[in-house]
Amino acid sequence: MFFDNYELIIGEGQKSPFLNKYGVYQDGTTPMYRDTDGRLWAISGHSHMGHIAMFAGTCLDDMHHMWEIQTAFRIGHADHAFGGIRYPDGVLPRGSIWPFGLYICPNTHRFFCWFHNETGWNGEGSAYDAFGPCETPRFDSDFRHVGLMHSDDEGKTWHFDRWVLSAEEVCFTDRYAPISGVIGQRGDIIRLGSGDFCMYVEPDGDDIYVFYNILTMDISQKSTGEAWLGCDAYVARCRKRADGTMGDFVKYYDGAFCEAGNLGRESAILSDVWHPRVVYSVPEKMFIMTSKPILSTMKNRIEGVDAKARVMQISTSRDMLHWSKPEIVYRDGKPWGNHYNAIVPDDTVSQPNILTSNRFSLLNNHNGTDVMRYPVELRRKT
């Protein structure tokens, strides 16, 4: 167990660069990447509250707001969103973008951004969830996909490429079918698609990994606490390229990376983890995943954890596939963390998913709040 061998010394919080005063309302962990010139970039915000902006600097200490992004495609209503490029399930796309992954081609300087999308938010009259058309999704029961966009002007203008990750199950139920000719998920137990993710880019390897969630729900129940049955983590990967293009994901299933990123099967690598974020610790030679629990706090209240489960948990791995049971983080004897939690190195050289020191920062936030930064020391127990 992690806390049998380590302790986290968490300092006092301060504001990060990603703040509401810049018109940025971060909803998820903030994606970052360092280009070949050594500049650290971040993209923060989401498209239906405030705006999405690019940030840059040498590290978190001097990272600052650069510019508001523009998209060369529309979002919102299904009649015009994402250039009419349908979800892999065949449904016209709709809604917003939540950027959660960033990569910069080392040769062409093209920026790639992977984003989360949901069918029940910002549909401008075309949104739907598991039950049918909606203004906002009931019990968070709408359907997720991951999209890819790119920019050739350092994030000023973005072009939509395609949908790159979707669950095996189609993105609607037999209660409401937005298209004909496809059979929706039948019965009360459904899954809500692939999303709420982070990217892990191998610094010296060949692959880019995406760690993502799928929610399982019993839509016959009358409250969120009763309806949510599972929130599991999965992993897929694509091969890095250096020619300004981006390949497709292959999902991990039944012991191998072997299933298509769109509509392929997948095997869970960890249970009860919301919005996983993965880094690699060079000093400790292990991967560290931060997340937050959902089911354990809904079904069995944990003393000191509020109803929204604003708490961080940690899990570790040697191979990115086999993870220790998540453990809640305590500070001064009380559960500590927030809805979204991310470890970020403080140095001016490392990629944001690589820790070269046991001193680093933790970023956390709730839906649309300022992102706070905490200094942390990972200390081995004697």
Side-chain angles (χ1 to χ4, degrees), residues 78 86-94 126 128 133 145 170-185 263:
R86 295 175 182 264
Y87 298 134
D89 327 61
V91 177
L92 283 170
R94 62 209 70 203
S126 67
Y128 72 91
H145 298 86
V170 299
C171 63
F172 57 93
T173 70
D174 57 4
R175 287 166 169 79
Y176 171 72
I179 58 173
S180 61
V182 178
I183 299 171
Q185 296 185 53
L263 302 178

Side-chain angles (χ1 to χ4, degrees), residues 229-293:
L229 301 179
C231 182
D232 300 325
Y234 301 80
V235 63
R237 70 186 183 191
C238 67
R239 184 170 59 87
K240 284 194 291 189
R241 299 177 63 98
D243 59 358
T245 62
M246 185 59 61
D248 290 328
F249 284 113
V250 179
K251 292 177 179 176
Y252 180 75
Y253 173 71
D254 196 24
F257 287 93
C258 60
E259 285 280 326
N262 282 320
L263 302 178
R265 296 169 293 181
E266 50 239 315
S267 295
I269 57 171
L270 200 57
S271 297
D272 197 21
V273 290
W274 173 262
H275 203 84
R277 174 89 171 219
V278 174
V279 298
Y280 181 74
S281 169
V282 175
E284 304 306 321
K285 296 180 174 59
M286 66 183 179
F287 297 94
I288 302 173
M289 178 191 290
T290 53
S291 63
K292 84 156 193 170

Side-chain angles (χ1 to χ4, degrees), residues 279-323:
V279 298
Y280 181 74
S281 169
V282 175
E284 304 306 321
K285 296 180 174 59
M286 66 183 179
F287 297 94
I288 302 173
M289 178 191 290
T290 53
S291 63
K292 84 156 193 170
I294 290 186
L295 298 183
S296 58
T297 54
M298 284 183 173
K299 310 295 184 183
N300 303 294
R301 291 298 299 275
I302 299 171
E303 185 176 354
V305 177
D306 65 11
K308 292 186 177 180
R310 286 178 284 202
V311 64
M312 186 174 87
Q313 59 185 9
I314 281 187
S315 183
T316 61
S317 174
R318 300 294 178 182
D319 62 2
M320 290 193 285
L321 299 175
H322 304 88
W323 292 87

Side-chain angles (χ1 to χ4, degrees), residues 36-330:
T36 54
D37 298 321
R39 198 177 202 187
L40 182 65
W41 292 87
I43 181 168
S44 187
H46 62 102
S47 60
H48 67 273
M49 187 176 185
H51 63 258
I52 301 170
M54 299 302 301
F55 293 76
T58 64
C59 63
L60 284 174
D61 290 337
D62 62 10
M63 181 170 276
H64 57 281
H65 183 280
M66 296 290 286
W67 41 72
E68 177 181 348
I69 77 161
Q70 303 296 323
T71 58
F73 56 93
R74 296 176 67 181
I75 57 172
H77 198 283
D79 284 349
H80 56 244
F82 303 101
I85 299 175
R86 295 175 182 264
Y87 298 134
D89 327 61
V91 177
L92 283 170
R94 62 209 70 203
S96 288
I97 56 177
W98 287 261
F100 290 157
L102 183 65
Y103 176 73
I104 303 170
C105 178
N107 292 326
T108 68
H109 204 62
R110 172 171 281 187
F111 285 34
F112 291 94
C113 176
W114 294 267
F115 62 85
H116 172 93
N117 167 264
E118 297 187 27
T119 63
W121 291 97
N122 192 34
E124 298 176 347
S126 67
Y128 72 91
D129 60 18
F131 303 93
C134 66
E135 290 297 322
T136 58
R138 287 149 284 197
F139 308 148
D140 219 11
S141 69
D142 60 336
F143 299 88
R144 287 92 167 136
H145 298 86
V146 176
L148 174 66
M149 59 184 183
H150 76 269
S151 170
D152 290 322
D153 55 9
E154 296 186 321
K156 294 185 182 74
T157 310
W158 292 88
H159 302 267
F160 180 63
D161 292 316
R162 63 191 187 276
W163 302 102
V164 296
L165 195 66
S166 58
E168 178 184 5
E169 298 81 10
V170 299
C171 63
F172 57 93
T173 70
D174 57 4
R175 287 166 169 79
Y176 171 72
I179 58 173
S180 61
V182 178
I183 299 171
Q185 296 185 53
R186 292 171 168 165
D188 295 330
I189 310 302
I190 65 166
R191 301 212 307 166
L192 299 175
S194 305
D196 301 296
F197 63 93
C198 80
M199 313 300 296
Y200 178 86
V201 182
E202 288 187 317
D204 301 313
D206 296 328
D207 295 305
I208 299 171
Y209 289 80
V210 55
F211 292 86
Y212 61 99
N213 280 138
I214 295 180
L215 286 163
T216 303
M217 178 173 284
D218 181 349
I219 55 177
S220 70
Q221 299 303 311
K222 304 300 182 184
S223 71
T224 302
E226 296 172 316
W228 284 18
L229 301 179
C231 182
D232 300 325
Y234 301 80
V235 63
R237 70 186 183 191
C238 67
R239 184 170 59 87
K240 284 194 291 189
R241 299 177 63 98
D243 59 358
T245 62
M246 185 59 61
D248 290 328
F249 284 113
V250 179
K251 292 177 179 176
Y252 180 75
Y253 173 71
D254 196 24
F257 287 93
C258 60
E259 285 280 326
N262 282 320
L263 302 178
R265 296 169 293 181
E266 50 239 315
S267 295
I269 57 171
L270 200 57
S271 297
D272 197 21
V273 290
W274 173 262
H275 203 84
R277 174 89 171 219
V278 174
V279 298
Y280 181 74
S281 169
V282 175
E284 304 306 321
K285 296 180 174 59
M286 66 183 179
F287 297 94
I288 302 173
M289 178 191 290
T290 53
S291 63
K292 84 156 193 170
I294 290 186
L295 298 183
S296 58
T297 54
M298 284 183 173
K299 310 295 184 183
N300 303 294
R301 291 298 299 275
I302 299 171
E303 185 176 354
V305 177
D306 65 11
K308 292 186 177 180
R310 286 178 284 202
V311 64
M312 186 174 87
Q313 59 185 9
I314 281 187
S315 183
T316 61
S317 174
R318 300 294 178 182
D319 62 2
M320 290 193 285
L321 299 175
H322 304 88
W323 292 87
S324 64
K325 183 178 179 181
E327 298 175 66
I328 288 178
V329 173
Y330 285 78

